[in-house]
Amino acid sequence: MVRTERKEKPAACQGGMRWILEYVMDFSQFKKKFSIHLDPQQAAAVQAVEGPVLLLAVPGSGKTTVLVTRLGYMCCVQGIRPESILTMTYTVAAAKDMERRFASYFGEEAAKRLSFRTINGICSRIIRYYERVMGRSAFRLLEDGGQKSALLGELYRNQTNDFATESTIKGLQTAITYVKNQMLKGEELSEIEAEGLNFPAFYQSYCKALRERRLMDFDDQMVYALQILRQYPRILGAVRDRYQYFCVDEAQDTSKIQHTIIRLLAGQNGNLFMVGDEDQSIYGFRAAYPQALTEFDRAYPNAKVLYMEQNYRSTGQIVAAADRFIQKNRNRHPKHMRATQGNGPELREISVYDRQKQYRYLCKMAEDCSTETAVLYRDNDSALPLMDLLERSGIPYRCRQVESLFFSNRVVRDITDIIRFAQEPDNAEYFLNIYYKLGAGISRSLAQEAAVQAGRAGETILDYISSSAAASPWTRKQCRSLQTHMNNMLEEPGDKAVYRIVHFMGYGSYLEERGGDLNKAEILEALGAEEPTPGRLLDRLEELRELVQAGTGRTEDCPFVLSTIHSSKGLEYDRVILMDVADGMLPKFLPERGAPPQELEAYEEERRLFYVGMTRARRELDIFTFRKVGLESTFALEIFPPKEKEKMPAKKIAVRNKLTREQASQLSAEYTPGARVRHRSFGAGTLVSRSGDIAIVAFDSGEVKKLALSTALRAGQIETAFDI
C-alpha cells in the first residue's frame, strides 16, 4: 500500500471536519484488486481527474465502464471522498443503472455514499434548499400529466376554437420543452412553429397560466434553479462546497440550459468530467445541444479533450462503413472508430419494389427468426403496417415503446372523417370537419346552410350544394365529382380509397399547401392494402389502436424486435435491419443548396440517427432499399455505391399482332383498378380507376395519365406487369 497525502479542505457536509490522511492503493494495485482491464485510451480517461475534461467515446467503446471505473479510481487511488462527487445522467433509469454498476464493482456501501442524479433532480434540490434558506415557498410542481394536458387543451381551444387531439397536445408539450431547454426568447421564439397556431402567443399564455396558478412544470425546475444560482451566490457557494467533482454522462443529449447550469456549478476551471459523443446526438427535438461538446475547449480554459475510439461491439465491416458515413458530418471532432472484433458478414442491401413489399419480406423473415434481430426505423408510424401483418399472421414479436399518437393525428383524422362522410353523406359533423379540405371552393356560409338544409330536402349534403344557386358553377361541378368519388370509394379496397382521397379528391393538395405530413397517408394506405373496403379499414384502425395501447407484442424472450432508432440507443443486437431508408423518411429531408445553418444542423442529425442505427449491430447489418421511383435513398447510395454494369438494352414490350377492336375490348377486361401495368413510353404504373374504356394510370415516375385502353392495346403500347 502507498501512503498518499492530500490538501486539507473543509467538508461542509460533515460539520466542518477536515480530510483525514488515508492509505490508498496505486493504479496498478487498483486494477489488480478489482480485475479491471483497460486499453490505453480508457486508462487515460480513468486517470483524468483534475480540471475540465471532455471524453469523446465512440459507440461500443465501454463508456459506462470507464465512467464507473473512474469513480472507483477517484475514491480508492486519489483518496477523494465519495460525498464530494456528483454524477449527472440523462434519465432516472440511467442514474440507477450506473449506481448498480458501481456497486457491483466496489460494493453497496461505497455506492450509497456517491450521488447519482439527473440534472432535473439536482435542480429540484436547489429549489428546496432555496426554500429552506430564504424562508420562501416555491411554485408547486405540476406532476399530473392529465392536469397539464387539460391546461394545454384549454389554451389551444381559446386560441383556435378547435379541440386539441392527443397528438396535438404532444406536439405542444414538445415545443414548450424545446423552448425552455434552448432558452429561446424574442425573435428566436417567433421562429418556432407548432400545430399550425401562433405559438409565441400560445407559449406566453401557457407561462402566464402557470404563474397565476403558482405552478411550475418539469422544465421550469431548471429555469428557476438557474435563476436562483445566478441571483444568490450563497446558494451557488453551498452547492460548490458540497460537491467539488462533477461527472456528466450522455453529454450529447444534454440541453443548452442544462449545460449552462453545469458550467455554473463547476466553474470554468473546476473539476468537470463530461462524457459523450456528438456523433450520437439524436434528440434535437428535445433540445439536445451537441455544440457544447464541439465548443468545449472554448468554454473551459485549459480543458483536456480525450478520445475512446476502439469499438468492442461490432464487426470490422460494420465499423468501417459507419465510420466512413459519419465522417461526412462537419460539426464534429476529428475522430475515427476502430474495430476490435475482426471481420464478419458484409453489409447486405435488401432491394424491394416498395414499402408494402418490405413489410411482407419482414413478416416472412419473422416466421423463422431464431437469431436476435432488431428491425429499426425512424418513427413509430413505420412499425404499424408491419405489426398489422404480424398480428394477422399470429407471428410473435417484441416491440419497444410504440405510441398511439398516429391514430389521433390530424391527417389520419381527416382521412377517416372523409371515409365516414362517404358512409353517411348527410352527417353534418363530418362534413363541417372536411368540406374546406377537398378543394371544392365551398364557402363557410354555404357549408353551414347545406349541413342544416340538406336533410330537410331529402338530399345528401353534396347533392344539395351541387344544385344550389348560391354555389358557383365550378363548385357545383366539383361537388358532383366529389359525390361520385364518395360513392365509388366505398366499393374499393382500403388502400385504393385512401389513394383516391389524397390524389383525386383534393386532400393531398390541401396538405402540401400547409406543409402537412403525407407520410401519415402513406401508412394508412399500407394498412388499407389488407382490407377489402374502407369501412373495414376504419375497424382495423380501432383494433390496432387497442393493440398498441395494450402493449401487445412485448414478449421478452422473442428474438424478433421492433424499435425506433431512438429507443434502441444504448442497446445492441446480433442482427440489425434498417427499414424505410428512403429520402423523406430516413433522412426526413435533404437540405437544398445554400440552406441556412439550422437546416444543415437538422440534416446532420438525420445522419447521426442513421449512424446510431448502424452501430446497434454486433454482427449483421441489413438495409432496405426501394426500386420504386420516388423512394430513392442518398444514405443507401453512400453505403452501397452503384457498381459499374454493362449497359443492357432497355426491355421492350412485346408488340402484339394487330388486334381487332373486339379483341382489344375483350383483353381490356384484365385492366382493373389496382392492376400493375407497363407502358412503352411512361414505364411501370398502377391503374387507379376506370370508367368504361378510359383508365387513369399513376406511373411510378410521378406522372398521372388518362388512357383509352382499347387504343393503347391495339397499338401495343401497354401490357399488364408483375413486380417482384
Side-chain angles (χ1 to χ4, degrees), residues 542-587:
E542 189 56 37
E543 292 165 6
L544 284 174
R545 183 206 292 266
E546 292 175 2
L547 287 170
V548 169
Q549 289 177 338
T552 186
R554 293 185 184 170
T555 308
E556 288 304 317
D557 59 352
C558 181
F560 194 75
V561 181
L562 309 183
S563 175
T564 63
I565 299 174
H566 289 97
S567 295
S568 73
K569 191 165 180 290
L571 302 176
E572 55 188 62
Y573 303 92
D574 289 337
R575 181 184 191 184
V576 164
I577 303 172
L578 295 177
M579 65 179 282
D580 280 353
V581 179
D583 298 345
M585 292 183 284
L586 181 60

Side-chain angles (χ1 to χ4, degrees), residues 279 281-286 288 290 329 378 566 599-611 635:
D279 291 336
S281 182
I282 59 174
Y283 290 102
F285 62 96
R286 294 183 190 167
N329 271 14
R378 191 186 190 286
H566 289 97
E599 283 190 20
L600 295 176
E601 169 54 31
Y603 174 64
E604 289 210 346
E605 178 162 322
E606 293 293 303
R607 296 183 64 85
R608 296 194 293 265
L609 185 66
F610 191 74
Y611 172 76
F635 284 3

Side-chain angles (χ1 to χ4, degrees), residues 387-395 527 530-531 536 540:
M387 288 175 60
D388 180 44
L389 286 177
L390 293 170
E391 291 285 348
R392 289 173 185 274
S393 305
I395 299 171
L527 293 169
E530 304 302 318
E531 298 298 345
R536 256 305 300 165
R540 184 57 180 167

Side-chain angles (χ1 to χ4, degrees), residues 119-120 122-124 126-127 139 141 176-185 203 206-207 210-211 215-231 255-258 260-261 264:
I119 298 178
N120 271 74
I122 288 297
C123 289
S124 176
I126 289 170
I127 293 171
F139 289 170
L141 181 63
I176 290 168
T177 290
Y178 183 86
V179 166
K180 293 184 179 181
N181 276 268
Q182 285 285 46
M183 306 169 71
L184 301 182
K185 295 179 181 178
Y203 177 75
Y206 170 73
C207 293
L210 288 182
R211 288 194 300 270
L215 294 171
M216 62 177 169
D217 60 24
F218 279 99
D219 299 307
D220 282 329
Q221 290 183 119
M222 294 183 292
V223 173
Y224 292 136
L226 180 57
Q227 290 178 1
I228 290 168
L229 293 172
R230 284 174 167 171
Q231 293 177 16
S255 68
K256 189 173 185 178
I257 193 171
Q258 290 171 337
T260 303
I261 292 168
L264 200 56

Side-chain angles (χ1 to χ4, degrees), residues 353-402:
Y353 178 71
D354 60 9
R355 296 174 81 182
Q356 201 67 36
K357 296 290 191 297
Q358 170 190 245
Y359 304 135
R360 295 194 178 282
Y361 186 106
L362 287 168
C363 192
K364 184 67 177 174
M365 177 186 291
E367 285 183 6
D368 306 313
C369 182
S370 57
T371 300
E372 183 186 45
T373 300
V375 179
L376 304 184
Y377 35 83
R378 191 186 190 286
D379 55 46
N380 284 303
D381 292 354
S382 291
L384 290 173
L386 180 55
M387 288 175 60
D388 180 44
L389 286 177
L390 293 170
E391 291 285 348
R392 289 173 185 274
S393 305
I395 299 171
Y397 64 97
R398 181 161 33 117
C399 194
R400 293 177 53 82
Q401 301 179 355
V402 173

